[in-house]
Amino acid sequence: MTEQKPHHLTFDEWDEANFPRPEVQDFDRVVERAISRRGFLGGALAFGSGAAVMGAGLLKGSTALAQSPVTIPFEGIAAQTDGTIHVPESYDWDVLVRWGDPLFSDAPEWNPQTGIPTEGSDRVFGENTDGMEIFDVNGANVLVVNSEYTNNDINLVGTATADGDSVAEAGTPSSADDVLRLQNFQGVTVMELAEGDAGWSVVVDSPLNRRITHLTPMTFTGPAAGHELMQTAADPTGMESLGTFNNCGSGRTPWGTYLTCEENFNGYFGATGDLPTGEVGAGYARYGISVDGFGYNYHAFDARFDVSETPNEPHRAGWIVEIDPANPESTPIKHTALGRFKHENAAYALANDGRLVVYMGDDERGEFMYKWVSANPYEEGGDTSTLLVEGQLFAATFADDMTGEWVALTEEATGMDAARIAIFTRTAASAVGATTMDRPEWIAVNPTAAEAYCCLTNNSRRGATNDAGEVLTNAGGDPMEVNGPNPRETNDYGQILRWRPENDDHGAVDFTWDLYVMAGNPTVHTEGPYAGTDNITAGNLFNSPDGMMIDSTGLIWIQTDGDDSNEGDFEGMGNNQMLAGDPVSGEIRRFLTGPKGSEVTGLTWSLDKRTMFVGIQHPAAPFPDGEGSLPRSAIVTVKRADGEMLG
Ligand code: FEO
Ligand code: CA
Ligand code: CA
Ligand code: CA
């Protein structure tokens, strides 16, 4: 390796010592781009000369620069590798609800070894909690939360067989009953919460409590609704589907509804015969629909999931779905105008003229970022029925000069009709040259400045080449060479991208961008881009930023879903965690560490902002019930010991 920047040198010192470089190799270019990112952050992080070159003009007029740094109201805690949760000393945590806890008094009782039986499996809190939002329904705290997927080896422990003679493998559904149980544990839970002397709890039997599963009836709006590619034998209208799938991150609308985001929907489908060819088959290749799926085996017991029988069924998943938490009888709506891809979350902003903007990421290596802009403005108390139906979908392009543009996915620009732009959105975005990204996870809009952030979690194949020396591509053939916002080859750590729309208007198509942070490990990689940006220190190491919310004070809450081995490149990072970052100074402190094996994902606040709700997904045993019990995903509460607000 050539000379890299020692961690103790400022960029200026390093710059003076090293220019001009004797030769430029690939790795140098990566470093240069990475440091250019630091330069753009100059106003925030004072990285030095790079700011003058890259950023000075771009930052003009930024409201963020006029902001004062946000006070991070706690001391950062140490990394942990144990099986429980840690928070700063002046905070307390408690379990609110676990997978299998009752929503209704007729729910089956949890069995510590076998969990919940199929009968009544839709009467309990679902598994693998993820995105969530809280709503004020006549003064009640109503929590709406996703259950992303099932850990089948835990759920199907009763049917597991150790020998090779049985049809049932451990964790593989061997009956329609097994399938139904898994379908019931996923989707969305709506539940009323109440706080008493003993803390927060679910209001069992609240009339607002509801489970939405893989079987719940839904309707479609938008350009794909009713299209022939959406029609099936069970639904010849192409207007009504059953269920919502792989509900990952969340969002909300200004009119008080919940947005659930269908991510890895492809994994639920399989085939007993041949896969379709032609346009439908090409779509399968782009979206990863295969003969075996992810092992859910639904297709062995339900022709709806057998794509050799029902080839259009996968077109009916992969959407943004709107749910009204105030009306348990309401039918969830799949809004096709917002595109079909592996939706992570949906973060809204309002354009300066009041139009609704929804930012969205497609979480797969080398896929894209999107935004929706409604045709009509949002008016409080006005008609909101068109705001997720009529408008324009855009895909993001990023230039290395720290500018970018949202490119409209129109029929003219893509050569596709409106229904196909909706159904095969990835293909439409490829057609306009959208920028391949390092797996866009959650996007968060800063309520105190005209800017938004996206966690680019990692991309182990970024910049990698095949045997012929060609750079690897996404599933659509778009190359994943190192590029501006994705500056590192073999990116195992991830970064958080930030953009500021032109004229501080989220409705604008032009923006400038920088990297808020590149995660890294300066104790293992003392120099170079894998050390991370200077706001990464030995005290706040993390990898794979994923969940993210920005609170009303402007503090950025970052949740991780990464390598928790605490070894090698990940030494010192410990378990997955939640950190808080100041958007202005760039300082980041560790707030919470999750139990071993878990991902920390999903965050919202009580209506009075005195309690934070944090999701713990796929923990290892013994969390949270102790030895001898199945591990259970759970939502925990975090409060300040002094009862003050936190967010
Ligand atoms: Fe479900 Fe991309 O996380
Ligand atoms: Ca995620
Ligand atoms: Ca993730
Ligand atoms: Ca996850």
PDB file of all heavy atoms in Angstrom, residues 353-383:
ATOM      1  N   ASP A 353     -43.951  24.478  -1.288  1.00  0.00           N
ATOM      2  CA  ASP A 353     -45.314  24.791  -1.729  1.00  0.00           C
ATOM      3  C   ASP A 353     -46.344  23.829  -1.138  1.00  0.00           C
ATOM      4  O   ASP A 353     -47.499  23.830  -1.545  1.00  0.00           O
ATOM      5  CB  ASP A 353     -45.396  24.790  -3.260  1.00  0.00           C
ATOM      6  CG  ASP A 353     -45.047  23.436  -3.855  1.00  0.00           C
ATOM      7  OD1 ASP A 353     -44.868  22.458  -3.096  1.00  0.00           O
ATOM      8  OD2 ASP A 353     -44.947  23.356  -5.107  1.00  0.00           O
ATOM      9  N   GLY A 354     -45.921  22.991  -0.200  1.00  0.00           N
ATOM     10  CA  GLY A 354     -46.865  22.131   0.503  1.00  0.00           C
ATOM     11  C   GLY A 354     -47.035  20.743  -0.083  1.00  0.00           C
ATOM     12  O   GLY A 354     -47.726  19.906   0.510  1.00  0.00           O
ATOM     13  N   ARG A 355     -46.407  20.469  -1.237  1.00  0.00           N
ATOM     14  CA  ARG A 355     -46.536  19.116  -1.789  1.00  0.00           C
ATOM     15  C   ARG A 355     -45.854  18.113  -0.865  1.00  0.00           C
ATOM     16  O   ARG A 355     -44.848  18.411  -0.226  1.00  0.00           O
ATOM     17  CB  ARG A 355     -45.929  19.051  -3.192  1.00  0.00           C
ATOM     18  CG  ARG A 355     -46.744  19.774  -4.257  1.00  0.00           C
ATOM     19  CD  ARG A 355     -46.022  19.765  -5.598  1.00  0.00           C
ATOM     20  NE  ARG A 355     -44.749  20.495  -5.504  1.00  0.00           N
ATOM     21  CZ  ARG A 355     -43.738  20.341  -6.349  1.00  0.00           C
ATOM     22  NH1 ARG A 355     -43.829  19.491  -7.342  1.00  0.00           N
ATOM     23  NH2 ARG A 355     -42.626  21.039  -6.186  1.00  0.00           N
ATOM     24  N   LEU A 356     -46.395  16.915  -0.852  1.00  0.00           N
ATOM     25  CA  LEU A 356     -45.844  15.854  -0.010  1.00  0.00           C
ATOM     26  C   LEU A 356     -44.652  15.208  -0.716  1.00  0.00           C
ATOM     27  O   LEU A 356     -44.733  14.820  -1.881  1.00  0.00           O
ATOM     28  CB  LEU A 356     -46.914  14.784   0.245  1.00  0.00           C
ATOM     29  CG  LEU A 356     -46.441  13.599   1.105  1.00  0.00           C
ATOM     30  CD1 LEU A 356     -46.289  14.013   2.564  1.00  0.00           C
ATOM     31  CD2 LEU A 356     -47.402  12.420   0.970  1.00  0.00           C
ATOM     32  N   VAL A 357     -43.544  15.106   0.005  1.00  0.00           N
ATOM     33  CA  VAL A 357     -42.336  14.445  -0.502  1.00  0.00           C
ATOM     34  C   VAL A 357     -42.110  13.213   0.369  1.00  0.00           C
ATOM     35  O   VAL A 357     -42.186  13.297   1.593  1.00  0.00           O
ATOM     36  CB  VAL A 357     -41.124  15.397  -0.411  1.00  0.00           C
ATOM     37  CG1 VAL A 357     -39.842  14.699  -0.829  1.00  0.00           C
ATOM     38  CG2 VAL A 357     -41.378  16.649  -1.252  1.00  0.00           C
ATOM     39  N   VAL A 358     -41.864  12.073  -0.252  1.00  0.00           N
ATOM     40  CA  VAL A 358     -41.547  10.855   0.499  1.00  0.00           C
ATOM     41  C   VAL A 358     -40.233  10.299  -0.037  1.00  0.00           C
ATOM     42  O   VAL A 358     -40.133   9.956  -1.221  1.00  0.00           O
ATOM     43  CB  VAL A 358     -42.653   9.791   0.374  1.00  0.00           C
ATOM     44  CG1 VAL A 358     -42.311   8.572   1.242  1.00  0.00           C
ATOM     45  CG2 VAL A 358     -44.015  10.354   0.769  1.00  0.00           C
ATOM     46  N   TYR A 359     -39.227  10.246   0.833  1.00  0.00           N
ATOM     47  CA  TYR A 359     -37.930   9.676   0.460  1.00  0.00           C
ATOM     48  C   TYR A 359     -37.918   8.189   0.782  1.00  0.00           C
ATOM     49  O   TYR A 359     -38.396   7.771   1.860  1.00  0.00           O
ATOM     50  CB  TYR A 359     -36.815  10.360   1.249  1.00  0.00           C
ATOM     51  CG  TYR A 359     -36.551  11.796   0.866  1.00  0.00           C
ATOM     52  CD1 TYR A 359     -36.819  12.838   1.754  1.00  0.00           C
ATOM     53  CD2 TYR A 359     -35.998  12.122  -0.374  1.00  0.00           C
ATOM     54  CE1 TYR A 359     -36.544  14.158   1.424  1.00  0.00           C
ATOM     55  CE2 TYR A 359     -35.728  13.441  -0.718  1.00  0.00           C
ATOM     56  CZ  TYR A 359     -35.995  14.453   0.188  1.00  0.00           C
ATOM     57  OH  TYR A 359     -35.718  15.752  -0.151  1.00  0.00           O
ATOM     58  N   MET A 360     -37.326   7.390  -0.109  1.00  0.00           N
ATOM     59  CA  MET A 360     -37.337   5.936   0.059  1.00  0.00           C
ATOM     60  C   MET A 360     -36.045   5.331  -0.471  1.00  0.00           C
ATOM     61  O   MET A 360     -35.502   5.786  -1.477  1.00  0.00           O
ATOM     62  CB  MET A 360     -38.512   5.336  -0.741  1.00  0.00           C
ATOM     63  CG  MET A 360     -39.872   5.871  -0.330  1.00  0.00           C
ATOM     64  SD  MET A 360     -41.212   5.320  -1.416  1.00  0.00           S
ATOM     65  CE  MET A 360     -40.927   6.347  -2.870  1.00  0.00           C
ATOM     66  N   GLY A 361     -35.584   4.277   0.191  1.00  0.00           N
ATOM     67  CA  GLY A 361     -34.414   3.540  -0.270  1.00  0.00           C
ATOM     68  C   GLY A 361     -34.786   2.129  -0.667  1.00  0.00           C
ATOM     69  O   GLY A 361     -35.749   1.556  -0.145  1.00  0.00           O
ATOM     70  N   ASP A 362     -34.013   1.575  -1.593  1.00  0.00           N
ATOM     71  CA  ASP A 362     -34.187   0.186  -2.052  1.00  0.00           C
ATOM     72  C   ASP A 362     -32.982  -0.591  -1.544  1.00  0.00           C
ATOM     73  O   ASP A 362     -31.869  -0.442  -2.054  1.00  0.00           O
ATOM     74  CB  ASP A 362     -34.256   0.178  -3.580  1.00  0.00           C
ATOM     75  CG  ASP A 362     -34.486  -1.221  -4.158  1.00  0.00           C
ATOM     76  OD1 ASP A 362     -34.461  -2.211  -3.394  1.00  0.00           O
ATOM     77  OD2 ASP A 362     -34.675  -1.307  -5.388  1.00  0.00           O
ATOM     78  N   ASP A 363     -33.214  -1.393  -0.494  1.00  0.00           N
ATOM     79  CA  ASP A 363     -32.089  -2.033   0.190  1.00  0.00           C
ATOM     80  C   ASP A 363     -31.632  -3.311  -0.495  1.00  0.00           C
ATOM     81  O   ASP A 363     -32.045  -4.407  -0.136  1.00  0.00           O
ATOM     82  CB  ASP A 363     -32.443  -2.335   1.645  1.00  0.00           C
ATOM     83  CG  ASP A 363     -31.274  -3.018   2.359  1.00  0.00           C
ATOM     84  OD1 ASP A 363     -30.169  -3.080   1.778  1.00  0.00           O
ATOM     85  OD2 ASP A 363     -31.482  -3.489   3.485  1.00  0.00           O
ATOM     86  N   GLU A 364     -30.792  -3.118  -1.478  1.00  0.00           N
ATOM     87  CA  GLU A 364     -30.054  -4.250  -2.041  1.00  0.00           C
ATOM     88  C   GLU A 364     -28.776  -3.661  -2.622  1.00  0.00           C
ATOM     89  O   GLU A 364     -28.750  -2.498  -3.015  1.00  0.00           O
ATOM     90  CB  GLU A 364     -30.875  -4.958  -3.125  1.00  0.00           C
ATOM     91  CG  GLU A 364     -30.197  -6.234  -3.603  1.00  0.00           C
ATOM     92  CD  GLU A 364     -31.127  -7.151  -4.389  1.00  0.00           C
ATOM     93  OE1 GLU A 364     -32.326  -7.217  -4.069  1.00  0.00           O
ATOM     94  OE2 GLU A 364     -30.636  -7.796  -5.323  1.00  0.00           O
ATOM     95  N   ARG A 365     -27.741  -4.476  -2.667  1.00  0.00           N
ATOM     96  CA  ARG A 365     -26.454  -3.990  -3.183  1.00  0.00           C
ATOM     97  C   ARG A 365     -26.626  -3.385  -4.571  1.00  0.00           C
ATOM     98  O   ARG A 365     -27.116  -4.041  -5.487  1.00  0.00           O
ATOM     99  CB  ARG A 365     -25.451  -5.134  -3.249  1.00  0.00           C
ATOM    100  CG  ARG A 365     -24.810  -5.472  -1.935  1.00  0.00           C
ATOM    101  CD  ARG A 365     -23.726  -6.514  -2.130  1.00  0.00           C
ATOM    102  NE  ARG A 365     -24.328  -7.798  -2.425  1.00  0.00           N
ATOM    103  CZ  ARG A 365     -24.482  -8.779  -1.540  1.00  0.00           C
ATOM    104  NH1 ARG A 365     -24.064  -8.632  -0.309  1.00  0.00           N
ATOM    105  NH2 ARG A 365     -25.040  -9.905  -1.889  1.00  0.00           N
ATOM    106  N   GLY A 366     -26.222  -2.127  -4.712  1.00  0.00           N
ATOM    107  CA  GLY A 366     -26.226  -1.489  -6.019  1.00  0.00           C
ATOM    108  C   GLY A 366     -27.587  -1.005  -6.485  1.00  0.00           C
ATOM    109  O   GLY A 366     -27.731  -0.594  -7.629  1.00  0.00           O
ATOM    110  N   GLU A 367     -28.604  -1.055  -5.610  1.00  0.00           N
ATOM    111  CA  GLU A 367     -29.898  -0.478  -5.998  1.00  0.00           C
ATOM    112  C   GLU A 367     -29.937   1.003  -5.598  1.00  0.00           C
ATOM    113  O   GLU A 367     -28.940   1.566  -5.192  1.00  0.00           O
ATOM    114  CB  GLU A 367     -31.041  -1.299  -5.415  1.00  0.00           C
ATOM    115  CG  GLU A 367     -31.169  -2.686  -6.073  1.00  0.00           C
ATOM    116  CD  GLU A 367     -31.496  -2.651  -7.576  1.00  0.00           C
ATOM    117  OE1 GLU A 367     -31.984  -1.616  -8.061  1.00  0.00           O
ATOM    118  OE2 GLU A 367     -31.243  -3.671  -8.249  1.00  0.00           O
ATOM    119  N   PHE A 368     -31.096   1.619  -5.703  1.00  0.00           N
ATOM    120  CA  PHE A 368     -31.179   3.070  -5.812  1.00  0.00           C
ATOM    121  C   PHE A 368     -31.956   3.727  -4.666  1.00  0.00           C
ATOM    122  O   PHE A 368     -32.597   3.070  -3.877  1.00  0.00           O
ATOM    123  CB  PHE A 368     -31.856   3.432  -7.141  1.00  0.00           C
ATOM    124  CG  PHE A 368     -31.276   2.723  -8.337  1.00  0.00           C
ATOM    125  CD1 PHE A 368     -32.073   1.994  -9.203  1.00  0.00           C
ATOM    126  CD2 PHE A 368     -29.904   2.762  -8.580  1.00  0.00           C
ATOM    127  CE1 PHE A 368     -31.532   1.340 -10.302  1.00  0.00           C
ATOM    128  CE2 PHE A 368     -29.353   2.116  -9.676  1.00  0.00           C
ATOM    129  CZ  PHE A 368     -30.174   1.396 -10.542  1.00  0.00           C
ATOM    130  N   MET A 369     -31.891   5.061  -4.673  1.00  0.00           N
ATOM    131  CA  MET A 369     -32.714   5.878  -3.780  1.00  0.00           C
ATOM    132  C   MET A 369     -33.786   6.596  -4.605  1.00  0.00           C
ATOM    133  O   MET A 369     -33.540   6.967  -5.751  1.00  0.00           O
ATOM    134  CB  MET A 369     -31.856   6.915  -3.051  1.00  0.00           C
ATOM    135  CG  MET A 369     -30.978   6.305  -1.970  1.00  0.00           C
ATOM    136  SD  MET A 369     -29.740   7.461  -1.370  1.00  0.00           S
ATOM    137  CE  MET A 369     -30.750   8.892  -1.071  1.00  0.00           C
ATOM    138  N   TYR A 370     -34.936   6.801  -3.980  1.00  0.00           N
ATOM    139  CA  TYR A 370     -36.093   7.355  -4.686  1.00  0.00           C
ATOM    140  C   TYR A 370     -36.751   8.465  -3.869  1.00  0.00           C
ATOM    141  O   TYR A 370     -36.601   8.509  -2.645  1.00  0.00           O
ATOM    142  CB  TYR A 370     -37.143   6.260  -4.912  1.00  0.00           C
ATOM    143  CG  TYR A 370     -36.682   5.125  -5.791  1.00  0.00           C
ATOM    144  CD1 TYR A 370     -36.013   4.016  -5.254  1.00  0.00           C
ATOM    145  CD2 TYR A 370     -36.897   5.152  -7.168  1.00  0.00           C
ATOM    146  CE1 TYR A 370     -35.585   2.966  -6.064  1.00  0.00           C
ATOM    147  CE2 TYR A 370     -36.478   4.110  -7.988  1.00  0.00           C
ATOM    148  CZ  TYR A 370     -35.825   3.021  -7.427  1.00  0.00           C
ATOM    149  OH  TYR A 370     -35.402   1.988  -8.225  1.00  0.00           O
ATOM    150  N   LYS A 371     -37.487   9.309  -4.578  1.00  0.00           N
ATOM    151  CA  LYS A 371     -38.417  10.182  -3.860  1.00  0.00           C
ATOM    152  C   LYS A 371     -39.703  10.355  -4.650  1.00  0.00           C
ATOM    153  O   LYS A 371     -39.714  10.337  -5.883  1.00  0.00           O
ATOM    154  CB  LYS A 371     -37.795  11.522  -3.498  1.00  0.00           C
ATOM    155  CG  LYS A 371     -37.838  12.594  -4.549  1.00  0.00           C
ATOM    156  CD  LYS A 371     -37.553  13.964  -3.908  1.00  0.00           C
ATOM    157  CE  LYS A 371     -37.438  15.029  -4.983  1.00  0.00           C
ATOM    158  NZ  LYS A 371     -37.221  16.361  -4.391  1.00  0.00           N
ATOM    159  N   TRP A 372     -40.757  10.492  -3.896  1.00  0.00           N
ATOM    160  CA  TRP A 372     -42.094  10.731  -4.438  1.00  0.00           C
ATOM    161  C   TRP A 372     -42.452  12.183  -4.143  1.00  0.00           C
ATOM    162  O   TRP A 372     -42.176  12.676  -3.038  1.00  0.00           O
ATOM    163  CB  TRP A 372     -43.090   9.802  -3.745  1.00  0.00           C
ATOM    164  CG  TRP A 372     -44.528  10.184  -3.896  1.00  0.00           C
ATOM    165  CD1 TRP A 372     -45.325  10.799  -2.979  1.00  0.00           C
ATOM    166  CD2 TRP A 372     -45.346   9.947  -5.043  1.00  0.00           C
ATOM    167  NE1 TRP A 372     -46.587  10.972  -3.485  1.00  0.00           N
ATOM    168  CE2 TRP A 372     -46.629  10.457  -4.756  1.00  0.00           C
ATOM    169  CE3 TRP A 372     -45.128   9.360  -6.301  1.00  0.00           C
ATOM    170  CZ2 TRP A 372     -47.677  10.395  -5.666  1.00  0.00           C
ATOM    171  CZ3 TRP A 372     -46.174   9.303  -7.199  1.00  0.00           C
ATOM    172  CH2 TRP A 372     -47.426   9.809  -6.883  1.00  0.00           C
ATOM    173  N   VAL A 373     -43.029  12.864  -5.121  1.00  0.00           N
ATOM    174  CA  VAL A 373     -43.552  14.215  -4.892  1.00  0.00           C
ATOM    175  C   VAL A 373     -45.001  14.238  -5.374  1.00  0.00           C
ATOM    176  O   VAL A 373     -45.279  13.927  -6.540  1.00  0.00           O
ATOM    177  CB  VAL A 373     -42.724  15.289  -5.626  1.00  0.00           C
ATOM    178  CG1 VAL A 373     -43.277  16.679  -5.321  1.00  0.00           C
ATOM    179  CG2 VAL A 373     -41.257  15.204  -5.237  1.00  0.00           C
ATOM    180  N   SER A 374     -45.906  14.576  -4.479  1.00  0.00           N
ATOM    181  CA  SER A 374     -47.330  14.571  -4.840  1.00  0.00           C
ATOM    182  C   SER A 374     -47.634  15.706  -5.811  1.00  0.00           C
ATOM    183  O   SER A 374     -46.922  16.722  -5.864  1.00  0.00           O
ATOM    184  CB  SER A 374     -48.195  14.709  -3.585  1.00  0.00           C
ATOM    185  OG  SER A 374     -48.016  15.983  -2.981  1.00  0.00           O
ATOM    186  N   ALA A 375     -48.699  15.531  -6.575  1.00  0.00           N
ATOM    187  CA  ALA A 375     -49.119  16.582  -7.503  1.00  0.00           C
ATOM    188  C   ALA A 375     -49.743  17.747  -6.743  1.00  0.00           C
ATOM    189  O   ALA A 375     -49.546  18.909  -7.092  1.00  0.00           O
ATOM    190  CB  ALA A 375     -50.112  16.008  -8.513  1.00  0.00           C
ATOM    191  N   ASN A 376     -50.504  17.415  -5.704  1.00  0.00           N
ATOM    192  CA  ASN A 376     -51.241  18.440  -4.965  1.00  0.00           C
ATOM    193  C   ASN A 376     -50.591  18.689  -3.613  1.00  0.00           C
ATOM    194  O   ASN A 376     -49.943  17.805  -3.062  1.00  0.00           O
ATOM    195  CB  ASN A 376     -52.693  17.983  -4.755  1.00  0.00           C
ATOM    196  CG  ASN A 376     -53.411  17.802  -6.082  1.00  0.00           C
ATOM    197  OD1 ASN A 376     -53.326  18.656  -6.955  1.00  0.00           O
ATOM    198  ND2 ASN A 376     -54.068  16.664  -6.246  1.00  0.00           N
ATOM    199  N   PRO A 377     -50.770  19.896  -3.079  1.00  0.00           N
ATOM    200  CA  PRO A 377     -50.204  20.181  -1.754  1.00  0.00           C
ATOM    201  C   PRO A 377     -51.022  19.534  -0.642  1.00  0.00           C
ATOM    202  O   PRO A 377     -52.222  19.297  -0.785  1.00  0.00           O
ATOM    203  CB  PRO A 377     -50.272  21.709  -1.667  1.00  0.00           C
ATOM    204  CG  PRO A 377     -51.373  22.102  -2.590  1.00  0.00           C
ATOM    205  CD  PRO A 377     -51.417  21.076  -3.680  1.00  0.00           C
ATOM    206  N   TYR A 378     -50.330  19.281   0.456  1.00  0.00           N
ATOM    207  CA  TYR A 378     -51.010  18.825   1.669  1.00  0.00           C
ATOM    208  C   TYR A 378     -51.584  20.030   2.391  1.00  0.00           C
ATOM    209  O   TYR A 378     -50.895  21.035   2.576  1.00  0.00           O
ATOM    210  CB  TYR A 378     -50.021  18.097   2.581  1.00  0.00           C
ATOM    211  CG  TYR A 378     -50.558  17.904   3.984  1.00  0.00           C
ATOM    212  CD1 TYR A 378     -51.605  17.022   4.230  1.00  0.00           C
ATOM    213  CD2 TYR A 378     -50.032  18.616   5.057  1.00  0.00           C
ATOM    214  CE1 TYR A 378     -52.120  16.861   5.502  1.00  0.00           C
ATOM    215  CE2 TYR A 378     -50.536  18.454   6.342  1.00  0.00           C
ATOM    216  CZ  TYR A 378     -51.584  17.576   6.561  1.00  0.00           C
ATOM    217  OH  TYR A 378     -52.084  17.427   7.817  1.00  0.00           O
ATOM    218  N   GLU A 379     -52.841  19.920   2.770  1.00  0.00           N
ATOM    219  CA  GLU A 379     -53.455  20.958   3.604  1.00  0.00           C
ATOM    220  C   GLU A 379     -54.086  20.278   4.797  1.00  0.00           C
ATOM    221  O   GLU A 379     -54.850  19.324   4.643  1.00  0.00           O
ATOM    222  CB  GLU A 379     -54.531  21.716   2.812  1.00  0.00           C
ATOM    223  CG  GLU A 379     -53.960  22.675   1.793  1.00  0.00           C
ATOM    224  CD  GLU A 379     -55.016  23.169   0.808  1.00  0.00           C
ATOM    225  OE1 GLU A 379     -56.208  23.203   1.187  1.00  0.00           O
ATOM    226  OE2 GLU A 379     -54.643  23.496  -0.324  1.00  0.00           O
ATOM    227  N   GLU A 380     -53.737  20.759   5.974  1.00  0.00           N
ATOM    228  CA  GLU A 380     -54.274  20.155   7.187  1.00  0.00           C
ATOM    229  C   GLU A 380     -55.794  20.180   7.156  1.00  0.00           C
ATOM    230  O   GLU A 380     -56.400  21.225   6.897  1.00  0.00           O
ATOM    231  CB  GLU A 380     -53.756  20.906   8.420  1.00  0.00           C
ATOM    232  CG  GLU A 380     -53.823  20.065   9.665  1.00  0.00           C
ATOM    233  CD  GLU A 380     -53.205  20.763  10.873  1.00  0.00           C
ATOM    234  OE1 GLU A 380     -52.335  21.634  10.676  1.00  0.00           O
ATOM    235  OE2 GLU A 380     -53.617  20.428  12.001  1.00  0.00           O
ATOM    236  N   GLY A 381     -56.390  18.997   7.363  1.00  0.00           N
ATOM    237  CA  GLY A 381     -57.843  18.899   7.333  1.00  0.00           C
ATOM    238  C   GLY A 381     -58.430  18.805   5.937  1.00  0.00           C
ATOM    239  O   GLY A 381     -59.635  18.620   5.781  1.00  0.00           O
ATOM    240  N   GLY A 382     -57.558  18.939   4.902  1.00  0.00           N
ATOM    241  CA  GLY A 382     -58.041  18.886   3.527  1.00  0.00           C
ATOM    242  C   GLY A 382     -58.084  17.458   2.999  1.00  0.00           C
ATOM    243  O   GLY A 382     -57.844  16.496   3.726  1.00  0.00           O
ATOM    244  N   ASP A 383     -58.371  17.321   1.706  1.00  0.00           N
ATOM    245  CA  ASP A 383     -58.449  16.009   1.074  1.00  0.00           C
ATOM    246  C   ASP A 383     -57.027  15.481   0.850  1.00  0.00           C
ATOM    247  O   ASP A 383     -56.229  16.103   0.154  1.00  0.00           O
ATOM    248  CB  ASP A 383     -59.186  16.140  -0.268  1.00  0.00           C
ATOM    249  CG  ASP A 383     -59.213  14.813  -1.021  1.00  0.00           C
ATOM    250  OD1 ASP A 383     -58.986  13.757  -0.382  1.00  0.00           O
ATOM    251  OD2 ASP A 383     -59.447  14.839  -2.242  1.00  0.00           O
TER     252      ASP A 383
END
